[in-house]
Amino acid sequence: MVGLIGIILSLALLMYLAYRGITVLVLAPFLACLAVVFAGDLPLLATYTQVFMNAAGRFVITYFPLFLLGALFGKLMDDSGSARTIAHWIVEKLGAERSILAVVLACAILTYGGVSLFVVAFAVYPIAVALFREAQIPKRLVPGAIALGSFTFTMTALPGTPAIQNLIPMPYFGTDAFAAPGLGILAGAIMLGGGTAWLNWRHHRARTAGEGYGVHHGDPQSVTRRPRSAGAMAVEQEEVAAPGIAIAILPIILVIVLNFVFTNYIIPTWETGYLAEPQYGSTTVDKVKGSWSIIIALVLSSVVVVALNWSIMRERVVTSVNEGSLGSLLPIFNTASEVGYGAVIASLAAFTIVRDFVINLSPDNPLISLAVAVNVLAGITGSASGGMSIALETLGRTYAEMGQAAGMNPEILHRVTSISSGGFDALPHNGAVITLLAICKLTHRQSYADIGMVAVVIPVTALIVIIVLATMFGSF
């Protein structure tokens, strides 16, 4: 019982102190050790160096190329002006009368193409402000629109997305980024449709009540790259070097297409018998082709970004590469620390109580307990990737075996895990939520209700629908 109290206290402190702004690089090992102290039956230093660091190191070894290349590609898209071009193009095509949908789709296309949600938030925010001001939509709805497009369906549901939340499950279930494409597309449609409908309804209510954009000091006033056109934003033009839409969007299309082609048609034809040797991990091509495909896709697409925008980027290519590479370090070590934390918790005797409780929530349907485990841990840590990683580090093998025993396609486990990570993760203490509100210069009181609806309630609803359909019809 004392050990269980230690686990609960450790998790509660992790959630609270992370919300207070203390880095998980310090919190995770410290609170893991606190749980060990309560357990009283494990050597403290050995647990830290041999369990925590070992698990964190394995995570870095497996996923560092994906974090590195994803951050690098996003930085190149940002510095080349491609992200701005895509956002402006969508806004101009849809016009002020569809302002909310325009902002959501601008964010969605950029994040689905591998651009960091933080980069997207900074790039789209000035455009959203100008558009919402012209359409007299309350500014408090801007964070909800950006959240819907940036960290819901493109992060967890759509097949092929290079978001890390869609890549982490691959080695646990032997799948690739396109796992259960039909289920993923359906879940994405529910999130997009439901979230957009909610935000439009909120706008309608505000307009009926006579509420407009509002008075907000410090808003950006100059954001457009092109002269005004029909439906464009009524703000002053600012000349910024950026590519045309065809050049801007081509690298994003390449990421998705190359990932699919290498996964399904090219890598399976390679001679990879050497992977069975111990020096290559005694593995098979099916377990690594998902990672290999996205690595190749991001490398080639990053080269294409630079080549197509050489006239714009030649003065700062090295700077962009360096900054993008360095930008990958904090995210991966944050997540690796949470993985190490999960490994320590899983090593405690008291964890068997927690494990058995979660697994026995639905012994005949592992999807239900898997969804609960990932959602709860993502909510506690305030991190989709962190909560998912802890769940898979501690229970991934168990769920894979349960799925196999139930005759379940592992692609279903992959998609349910990924979608589950994007539910409770967006609770108020989530780092992305806090950063988004800071970018928008708004408070939780003003905007979190809409963020919570589009990034928590509706994604969890989509998850429930997917679990029901997967249980009835299997993977599709």
Short mmCIF file of all heavy atoms in Angstrom, two decimals, residues 84-85 87-89 91-92 123 126-131 133-134 220-229 231-242:
data_model
loop_
_atom_site.label_atom_id
_atom_site.label_comp_id
_atom_site.label_asym_id
_atom_site.label_seq_id
_atom_site.Cartn_x
_atom_site.Cartn_y
_atom_site.Cartn_z
N ARG A 84 4.28 30.39 -44.42
CA ARG A 84 3.46 31.60 -44.57
C ARG A 84 2.68 31.58 -45.87
O ARG A 84 1.51 31.95 -45.92
CB ARG A 84 4.36 32.84 -44.53
CG ARG A 84 4.99 33.14 -43.19
CD ARG A 84 5.56 34.55 -43.17
NE ARG A 84 6.47 34.82 -44.29
CZ ARG A 84 7.76 34.51 -44.30
NH1 ARG A 84 8.29 33.91 -43.23
NH2 ARG A 84 8.52 34.80 -45.34
N THR A 85 3.33 31.16 -46.94
CA THR A 85 2.66 31.12 -48.24
C THR A 85 1.44 30.21 -48.21
O THR A 85 0.37 30.57 -48.71
CB THR A 85 3.64 30.62 -49.33
OG1 THR A 85 4.66 31.59 -49.51
CG2 THR A 85 2.92 30.40 -50.65
N ALA A 87 -0.34 29.22 -45.63
CA ALA A 87 -1.38 29.78 -44.77
C ALA A 87 -2.13 30.91 -45.48
O ALA A 87 -3.36 30.97 -45.47
CB ALA A 87 -0.76 30.29 -43.47
N HIS A 88 -1.39 31.82 -46.11
CA HIS A 88 -2.02 32.93 -46.82
C HIS A 88 -2.88 32.43 -47.98
O HIS A 88 -3.98 32.95 -48.23
CB HIS A 88 -0.95 33.88 -47.36
CG HIS A 88 -0.43 34.84 -46.34
ND1 HIS A 88 -1.14 35.94 -45.93
CD2 HIS A 88 0.72 34.85 -45.63
CE1 HIS A 88 -0.42 36.61 -45.03
NE2 HIS A 88 0.70 35.96 -44.82
N TRP A 89 -2.40 31.45 -48.70
CA TRP A 89 -3.12 30.94 -49.87
C TRP A 89 -4.47 30.36 -49.47
O TRP A 89 -5.50 30.63 -50.11
CB TRP A 89 -2.28 29.88 -50.56
CG TRP A 89 -2.91 29.30 -51.78
CD1 TRP A 89 -2.98 29.87 -53.02
CD2 TRP A 89 -3.57 28.03 -51.88
NE1 TRP A 89 -3.64 29.03 -53.89
CE2 TRP A 89 -4.02 27.90 -53.23
CE3 TRP A 89 -3.83 27.00 -50.99
CZ2 TRP A 89 -4.69 26.78 -53.67
CZ3 TRP A 89 -4.52 25.88 -51.42
CH2 TRP A 89 -4.93 25.77 -52.74
N VAL A 91 -6.21 31.07 -46.77
CA VAL A 91 -7.06 32.16 -46.32
C VAL A 91 -7.66 32.92 -47.50
O VAL A 91 -8.85 33.25 -47.54
CB VAL A 91 -6.26 33.12 -45.41
CG1 VAL A 91 -7.00 34.42 -45.19
CG2 VAL A 91 -5.97 32.44 -44.07
N GLU A 92 -6.82 33.20 -48.50
CA GLU A 92 -7.30 33.95 -49.66
C GLU A 92 -8.34 33.17 -50.47
O GLU A 92 -9.30 33.74 -51.00
CB GLU A 92 -6.13 34.34 -50.55
CG GLU A 92 -5.22 35.38 -49.92
CD GLU A 92 -4.00 35.68 -50.78
OE1 GLU A 92 -3.88 35.08 -51.86
OE2 GLU A 92 -3.18 36.51 -50.37
N ALA A 123 3.27 31.07 -37.02
CA ALA A 123 3.08 31.49 -38.40
C ALA A 123 1.64 31.89 -38.70
O ALA A 123 1.39 32.84 -39.43
CB ALA A 123 3.51 30.37 -39.35
N PRO A 126 -0.75 35.59 -36.63
CA PRO A 126 -1.02 36.92 -37.18
C PRO A 126 -2.08 36.92 -38.28
O PRO A 126 -2.86 37.86 -38.40
CB PRO A 126 0.35 37.35 -37.75
CG PRO A 126 1.34 36.48 -37.07
CD PRO A 126 0.65 35.18 -36.83
N ILE A 127 -2.10 35.85 -39.07
CA ILE A 127 -3.11 35.73 -40.13
C ILE A 127 -4.49 35.56 -39.51
O ILE A 127 -5.47 36.19 -39.94
CB ILE A 127 -2.77 34.53 -41.04
CG1 ILE A 127 -1.39 34.70 -41.66
CG2 ILE A 127 -3.83 34.34 -42.11
CD1 ILE A 127 -0.87 33.48 -42.35
N ALA A 128 -4.59 34.72 -38.49
CA ALA A 128 -5.87 34.50 -37.82
C ALA A 128 -6.39 35.78 -37.19
O ALA A 128 -7.59 36.09 -37.27
CB ALA A 128 -5.72 33.41 -36.77
N VAL A 129 -5.52 36.55 -36.58
CA VAL A 129 -5.93 37.81 -35.95
C VAL A 129 -6.52 38.76 -36.99
O VAL A 129 -7.60 39.34 -36.80
CB VAL A 129 -4.73 38.47 -35.24
CG1 VAL A 129 -5.00 39.95 -34.96
CG2 VAL A 129 -4.43 37.73 -33.95
N ALA A 130 -5.82 38.91 -38.12
CA ALA A 130 -6.30 39.83 -39.16
C ALA A 130 -7.63 39.35 -39.73
O ALA A 130 -8.56 40.15 -39.95
CB ALA A 130 -5.26 39.94 -40.27
N LEU A 131 -7.74 38.07 -39.97
CA LEU A 131 -8.96 37.52 -40.56
C LEU A 131 -10.14 37.60 -39.60
O LEU A 131 -11.25 37.98 -39.98
CB LEU A 131 -8.70 36.06 -40.96
CG LEU A 131 -9.69 35.42 -41.94
CD1 LEU A 131 -9.72 36.19 -43.24
CD2 LEU A 131 -9.29 33.97 -42.18
N ARG A 133 -10.46 39.66 -37.14
CA ARG A 133 -10.80 41.07 -36.93
C ARG A 133 -11.71 41.56 -38.05
O ARG A 133 -12.71 42.24 -37.80
CB ARG A 133 -9.54 41.92 -36.85
CG ARG A 133 -9.83 43.39 -36.50
CD ARG A 133 -8.61 44.28 -36.69
NE ARG A 133 -7.53 43.89 -35.81
CZ ARG A 133 -6.34 43.45 -36.22
NH1 ARG A 133 -6.12 43.33 -37.54
NH2 ARG A 133 -5.40 43.13 -35.37
N GLU A 134 -11.37 41.21 -39.29
CA GLU A 134 -12.18 41.65 -40.42
C GLU A 134 -13.57 41.04 -40.37
O GLU A 134 -14.58 41.71 -40.68
CB GLU A 134 -11.51 41.29 -41.74
CG GLU A 134 -12.32 41.72 -42.96
CD GLU A 134 -11.66 41.33 -44.26
OE1 GLU A 134 -10.46 41.02 -44.27
OE2 GLU A 134 -12.36 41.36 -45.29
N PRO A 220 -0.78 41.93 -33.78
CA PRO A 220 -0.02 42.26 -34.99
C PRO A 220 -0.89 42.99 -35.99
O PRO A 220 -2.06 42.67 -36.17
CB PRO A 220 0.42 40.89 -35.52
CG PRO A 220 -0.54 39.92 -34.94
CD PRO A 220 -0.93 40.47 -33.60
N GLN A 221 -0.33 44.00 -36.66
CA GLN A 221 -1.10 44.82 -37.58
C GLN A 221 -0.71 44.61 -39.04
O GLN A 221 -1.41 45.04 -39.93
CB GLN A 221 -0.91 46.31 -37.24
CG GLN A 221 -1.41 46.67 -35.85
CD GLN A 221 -2.91 46.49 -35.74
OE1 GLN A 221 -3.65 46.81 -36.65
NE2 GLN A 221 -3.36 45.97 -34.61
N SER A 222 0.43 44.00 -39.28
CA SER A 222 0.92 43.89 -40.66
C SER A 222 1.39 42.48 -40.91
O SER A 222 2.41 42.07 -40.39
CB SER A 222 2.06 44.88 -40.88
OG SER A 222 2.52 44.82 -42.20
N VAL A 223 0.61 41.73 -41.69
CA VAL A 223 0.94 40.31 -41.82
C VAL A 223 0.92 39.79 -43.25
O VAL A 223 1.41 38.70 -43.51
CB VAL A 223 -0.03 39.44 -40.97
CG1 VAL A 223 0.12 39.77 -39.52
CG2 VAL A 223 -1.46 39.64 -41.42
N THR A 224 0.35 40.49 -44.19
CA THR A 224 0.17 39.89 -45.50
C THR A 224 1.42 39.96 -46.36
O THR A 224 2.22 40.86 -46.24
CB THR A 224 -0.99 40.57 -46.26
OG1 THR A 224 -0.70 41.95 -46.41
CG2 THR A 224 -2.30 40.39 -45.53
N ARG A 225 1.53 38.99 -47.24
CA ARG A 225 2.68 38.92 -48.13
C ARG A 225 2.34 39.46 -49.49
O ARG A 225 3.20 39.89 -50.25
CB ARG A 225 3.15 37.46 -48.24
CG ARG A 225 4.43 37.27 -49.03
CD ARG A 225 4.76 35.81 -49.20
NE ARG A 225 3.72 35.12 -49.91
CZ ARG A 225 3.60 35.09 -51.22
NH1 ARG A 225 4.46 35.73 -51.97
NH2 ARG A 225 2.62 34.42 -51.80
N ARG A 226 1.05 39.41 -49.86
CA ARG A 226 0.63 39.82 -51.18
C ARG A 226 -0.34 40.98 -51.09
O ARG A 226 -0.94 41.22 -50.04
CB ARG A 226 -0.09 38.65 -51.88
CG ARG A 226 0.80 37.42 -52.04
CD ARG A 226 0.00 36.34 -52.76
NE ARG A 226 0.81 35.16 -52.96
CZ ARG A 226 0.46 33.95 -52.54
NH1 ARG A 226 -0.64 33.77 -51.90
NH2 ARG A 226 1.23 32.92 -52.77
N PRO A 227 -0.57 41.70 -52.20
CA PRO A 227 -1.60 42.74 -52.19
C PRO A 227 -2.96 42.12 -51.90
O PRO A 227 -3.20 40.94 -52.15
CB PRO A 227 -1.54 43.32 -53.61
CG PRO A 227 -0.19 42.95 -54.12
CD PRO A 227 0.14 41.63 -53.48
N ARG A 228 -3.87 42.95 -51.43
CA ARG A 228 -5.20 42.46 -51.11
C ARG A 228 -5.90 41.94 -52.35
O ARG A 228 -5.79 42.47 -53.44
CB ARG A 228 -6.05 43.57 -50.49
CG ARG A 228 -5.64 43.95 -49.09
CD ARG A 228 -6.58 45.00 -48.54
NE ARG A 228 -7.94 44.48 -48.52
CZ ARG A 228 -9.01 45.25 -48.36
NH1 ARG A 228 -8.87 46.55 -48.24
NH2 ARG A 228 -10.21 44.72 -48.34
N SER A 229 -6.68 40.87 -52.16
CA SER A 229 -7.53 40.33 -53.21
C SER A 229 -8.88 40.04 -52.57
O SER A 229 -9.04 40.19 -51.37
CB SER A 229 -6.92 39.05 -53.79
OG SER A 229 -6.76 38.08 -52.78
N GLY A 231 -11.62 38.74 -50.56
CA GLY A 231 -11.63 37.86 -49.40
C GLY A 231 -10.36 37.90 -48.60
O GLY A 231 -10.25 37.26 -47.58
N ALA A 232 -9.35 38.62 -49.05
CA ALA A 232 -8.10 38.67 -48.29
C ALA A 232 -8.27 39.60 -47.11
O ALA A 232 -9.24 40.32 -46.98
CB ALA A 232 -6.96 39.14 -49.19
N MET A 233 -7.27 39.63 -46.23
CA MET A 233 -7.38 40.39 -45.00
C MET A 233 -7.18 41.87 -45.24
O MET A 233 -6.33 42.28 -46.02
CB MET A 233 -6.32 39.88 -44.00
CG MET A 233 -6.58 38.45 -43.60
SD MET A 233 -5.07 37.52 -43.37
CE MET A 233 -4.44 37.50 -45.03
N ALA A 234 -7.99 42.66 -44.53
CA ALA A 234 -7.93 44.11 -44.70
C ALA A 234 -6.86 44.69 -43.79
O ALA A 234 -7.14 45.31 -42.79
CB ALA A 234 -9.29 44.73 -44.39
N VAL A 235 -5.62 44.41 -44.13
CA VAL A 235 -4.50 44.96 -43.37
C VAL A 235 -3.45 45.43 -44.35
O VAL A 235 -3.49 45.11 -45.54
CB VAL A 235 -3.89 43.90 -42.42
CG1 VAL A 235 -4.83 43.60 -41.30
CG2 VAL A 235 -3.53 42.64 -43.18
N GLU A 236 -2.50 46.17 -43.86
CA GLU A 236 -1.47 46.70 -44.74
C GLU A 236 -0.54 45.61 -45.22
O GLU A 236 -0.26 44.65 -44.51
CB GLU A 236 -0.65 47.77 -43.99
CG GLU A 236 -1.47 49.00 -43.62
CD GLU A 236 -2.00 49.71 -44.85
OE1 GLU A 236 -1.25 49.80 -45.85
OE2 GLU A 236 -3.16 50.14 -44.84
N GLN A 237 -0.02 45.74 -46.40
CA GLN A 237 0.88 44.75 -46.99
C GLN A 237 2.28 44.90 -46.44
O GLN A 237 2.77 45.98 -46.23
CB GLN A 237 0.91 44.93 -48.52
CG GLN A 237 1.88 43.99 -49.21
CD GLN A 237 1.94 44.28 -50.69
OE1 GLN A 237 1.03 44.86 -51.25
NE2 GLN A 237 3.01 43.89 -51.31
N GLU A 238 2.89 43.77 -46.19
CA GLU A 238 4.29 43.76 -45.77
C GLU A 238 5.04 42.85 -46.72
O GLU A 238 4.70 41.67 -46.88
CB GLU A 238 4.41 43.22 -44.34
CG GLU A 238 5.86 43.06 -43.86
CD GLU A 238 5.92 42.42 -42.48
OE1 GLU A 238 5.31 42.97 -41.56
OE2 GLU A 238 6.55 41.36 -42.36
N GLU A 239 6.05 43.35 -47.39
CA GLU A 239 6.78 42.57 -48.37
C GLU A 239 7.74 41.61 -47.66
O GLU A 239 8.65 42.04 -46.97
CB GLU A 239 7.56 43.49 -49.30
CG GLU A 239 6.67 44.31 -50.23
CD GLU A 239 5.88 43.44 -51.18
OE1 GLU A 239 6.34 42.33 -51.49
OE2 GLU A 239 4.79 43.86 -51.62
N VAL A 240 7.50 40.32 -47.83
CA VAL A 240 8.36 39.31 -47.24
C VAL A 240 8.68 38.29 -48.32
O VAL A 240 7.79 37.80 -49.00
CB VAL A 240 7.66 38.59 -46.06
CG1 VAL A 240 8.57 37.52 -45.50
CG2 VAL A 240 7.27 39.60 -44.98
N ALA A 241 9.94 37.98 -48.51
CA ALA A 241 10.35 37.01 -49.52
C ALA A 241 9.77 35.65 -49.19
O ALA A 241 9.97 35.13 -48.09
CB ALA A 241 11.87 36.94 -49.60
N ALA A 242 9.05 35.08 -50.13
CA ALA A 242 8.44 33.77 -49.92
C ALA A 242 8.14 33.15 -51.27
O ALA A 242 7.91 33.85 -52.25
CB ALA A 242 7.18 33.90 -49.08
#
